[in-house]
Amino acid sequence: MPCRLRPNLLLSLAALIFAGPLLGQSLPDRSEQAIVDHVRTQQAPAVALLEQVVNINSGTMNFAGVRAVSDVFQPHFAALGFQTHWVDGTPFGRAGHLVAERKGKGKSKKPHVLLIGHLDTVFEPDSPFQRFERVDENIVRGPGTADMKGGVVVALAALSSLKHAGVLDRLDLTVVLHGDEEDSGAPLAAARATLIDAAKAADIAIGLENADDNTKTAVTARRSSGRWQIKASGKTAHSSQVFSEEVGAGAIYELARILNSFYTELRGEELLTFNPGLVIGSTQVEYLPEPLQGKASGKDNIVAPVAVASGDLRAITPEQISRTQEKMRAIVAAHLPQTSAEITFDEGYPPMAPTKGNERLLGIYDQVSRDLGFGPVTAVDPRRAGAADVSFAADHVEMSIDGLGLKGGDSHTPTEFADLRTLQIQAQRLAVLLYRLGKK
């Protein structure tokens, strides 16, 4: 199946490519011009590096593969003066994380920037989608091309250009590359402890995801991603006795009441969604939350004694999550006759709430893009921005932004692709952004 760029991305790229910078536009700041010029020399080695890491399977549960991708990236960070170490993932049941740190030189206080990415993909060794493939001069297909080995390659091209221009020492830098972004380890607090600790020491967090794959947008807000489970119970009896005073409504009606009340009473709040992904009920029920599955057996003429539902909850602020959970608990507690139910909430990805700091960082990035001739960058609608690791850092830094990685499309599918034309765009933008942050 051929890869096809979405119309908005095609139009964006057409406008950017003929806007000037790729044809030699000059910048008034000599350091910025040196940075941009060096980024242009990085296209071939960057694509070669992308091919190398894409051809290493790093499905989340392929621990050896995740570590092998880390082993490829590690010397590139070391060559730029980063101190690197591997965080063992055994305590949270995953491969682990690569951390790279570099202190700027001089006694003055420098902005501390945290770059966030990941090494793993959704494609395990049994997937038929394994190899880097050139579709044409600009489009490459492969697992992790856009999501998000390409983002790490963009960061290395940008950092290399800063070092070449002699300005990398103006920043303190930490890079955290997770080995379990696509399937987080448990407990989640342990799996994200390294990132949270790094964020507490940083001023600014930048995510290297591909986000909505649009070169004209960046992410300043992401919704949370959490799960909930409901277990309803009722009295079992012959179906002819349902609704009687002794038997009541049964578990399935109780669960149906709860889900319908969620829909009628909670639906409509801006950026709040709650979706039941599995519903099951009968005389006998087997429910497994991981991987999510269920099995039921019974008869139509028996009032079901048990029913289970599992779903997700997405919100834009911690306050919205807390308020919604309380409303859900209250709905669950209003039982039908002779029934009971309880709801539990699992830990999940927190939201990246919109803040003035994030808006300010987007403004700086937008100006960088305009000055480079790539046009304006606006904030993507949070409904189009799924949960990501930057959310764990956002509450601990002054400013955060995401979506600065390589662009493409069809992430998490066997047609995932990256557009190599965006490598120059994204690397130049990131490099000049970092340079300007270091000047402030």
Side-chain angles (χ1 to χ4, degrees):
M1 178 180 179
C3 290
R4 291 185 175 89
L5 287 173
R6 295 175 301 173
N8 65 331
L9 185 55
L10 272 173
L11 292 173
S12 299
L13 288 171
L16 295 177
I17 288 169
F18 293 104
L22 301 183
L23 302 179
Q25 176 176 308
S26 295
L27 293 165
D29 186 309
R30 291 184 179 180
S31 292
E32 291 187 3
Q33 188 62 54
I35 291 166
V36 169
D37 289 344
H38 193 261
V39 170
R40 291 176 182 144
T41 71
Q42 298 299 297
Q43 185 77 5
V47 174
L49 177 60
L50 180 62
E51 180 174 4
Q52 182 182 3
V53 292
V54 167
N55 282 335
I56 301 172
N57 179 278
S58 60
T60 307
M61 301 310 293
N62 180 10
F63 294 177
V66 172
R67 187 64 187 268
V69 172
S70 171
D71 289 344
V72 173
F73 282 136
Q74 184 275 333
H76 288 271
F77 285 106
L80 295 172
F82 284 81
Q83 300 296 314
T84 66
H85 68 274
W86 179 256
V87 178
D88 179 47
T90 301
F92 46 90
R94 293 296 185 267
H97 316 313
L98 175 65
V99 178
E101 299 171 287
R102 190 184 194 281
K103 295 290 186 182
K105 294 181 180 178
K107 296 182 179 180
S108 61
K109 177 172 170 48
K110 300 167 184 62
H112 189 160
V113 178
L114 170 63
L115 298 176
I116 304 166
H118 62 90
L119 307 164
D120 63 321
T121 75
V122 300
F123 304 98
E124 298 293 342
D126 60 353
S127 168
F129 190 50
Q130 295 288 342
R131 304 294 294 177
F132 181 95
E133 174 192 358
R134 278 192 175 273
V135 178
D136 57 35
E137 181 181 356
N138 299 313
I139 306 300
V140 295
R141 184 189 291 130
T145 45
D147 186 17
M148 62 149 291
K149 294 173 182 179
V152 183
V153 171
V154 164
L156 283 169
L159 295 170
S160 174
S161 298
L162 290 171
K163 187 172 190 298
H164 178 81
V167 295
L168 190 56
D169 285 325
R170 297 185 179 187
L171 295 165
D172 291 337
L173 291 159
T174 301
V175 182
V176 176
L177 302 180
H178 285 131
D180 65 335
E181 195 274 347
E182 301 294 4
D183 186 3
S184 302
L188 189 57
R192 292 296 171 267
T194 297
L195 176 60
I196 292 171
D197 288 345
K200 289 178 179 178
D203 304 306
I204 301 161
I206 296 176
L208 303 171
E209 290 279 4
N210 52 317
D212 69 338
D213 288 304
N214 188 339
T215 54
K216 291 188 174 183
T217 63
V219 177
T220 57
R222 288 185 179 274
R223 296 193 297 164
S224 64
S225 178
R227 293 177 65 183
W228 49 266
Q229 299 87 33
I230 299 170
K231 183 176 181 180
S233 302
K235 287 190 174 182
T236 187
H238 192 279
S239 62
S240 62
Q241 302 304 303
V242 70
F243 312 138
S244 68
E245 185 176 346
E246 294 80 11
V247 175
I252 291 179
Y253 273 118
E254 169 70 348
L255 183 58
R257 173 198 69 81
I258 293 168
L259 296 178
N260 184 65
S261 297
F262 285 176
Y263 178 80
T264 57
E265 297 181 30
L266 303 182
R267 176 175 54 93
E269 185 173 334
E270 187 177 9
L271 296 177
L272 173 68
T273 57
F274 40 89
N275 177 66
L278 182 148
V279 178
I280 188 171
S282 192
T283 307
Q284 296 181 342
V285 168
E286 296 178 23
Y287 167 75
L288 290 176
E290 189 65 36
L292 185 61
Q293 56 185 293
K295 181 180 179 181
S297 61
K299 292 184 177 181
D300 292 340
N301 62 353
I302 297 177
V303 178
V306 60
V308 178
S310 176
D312 80 344
L313 171 66
R314 296 174 186 266
I316 194 62
T317 65
E319 293 76 19
Q320 190 178 45
I321 295 172
S322 178
R323 183 174 66 252
T324 302
Q325 288 180 346
E326 287 305 307
K327 291 178 180 178
M328 294 172 83
R329 289 189 181 98
I331 289 170
V332 170
H335 307 305
L336 293 176
Q338 302 295 349
T339 68
S340 63
E342 61 178 10
I343 185 169
T344 57
F345 297 93
D346 294 347
E347 62 178 342
Y349 272 57
M352 174 186 180
T355 67
K356 291 294 185 181
N358 297 357
E359 183 180 339
R360 179 176 170 231
L361 184 56
L362 174 64
I364 299 171
Y365 187 63
D366 170 61
Q367 190 60 56
V368 166
S369 182
R370 292 171 188 264
D371 291 347
L372 290 171
F374 294 136
V377 180
T378 59
V380 69
D381 183 342
R383 288 186 68 99
R384 295 179 58 84
D389 284 337
V390 70
S391 297
F392 289 95
D395 279 349
H396 305 289
V397 295
E398 297 175 15
M399 302 184 287
S400 58
I401 194 171
D402 200 0
L404 275 58
L406 191 63
K407 304 296 186 179
D410 296 347
S411 295
H412 292 202
T413 76
T415 57
E416 180 181 338
F417 69 93
D419 189 312
L420 297 180
R421 290 171 292 185
T422 68
L423 199 158
Q424 285 287 311
I425 296 167
Q426 298 300 94
Q428 288 184 36
R429 284 170 166 171
L430 177 59
V432 176
L433 172 66
L434 291 173
Y435 169 70
R436 292 188 183 181
L437 292 173
K439 288 177 65 177
K440 291 186 181 298

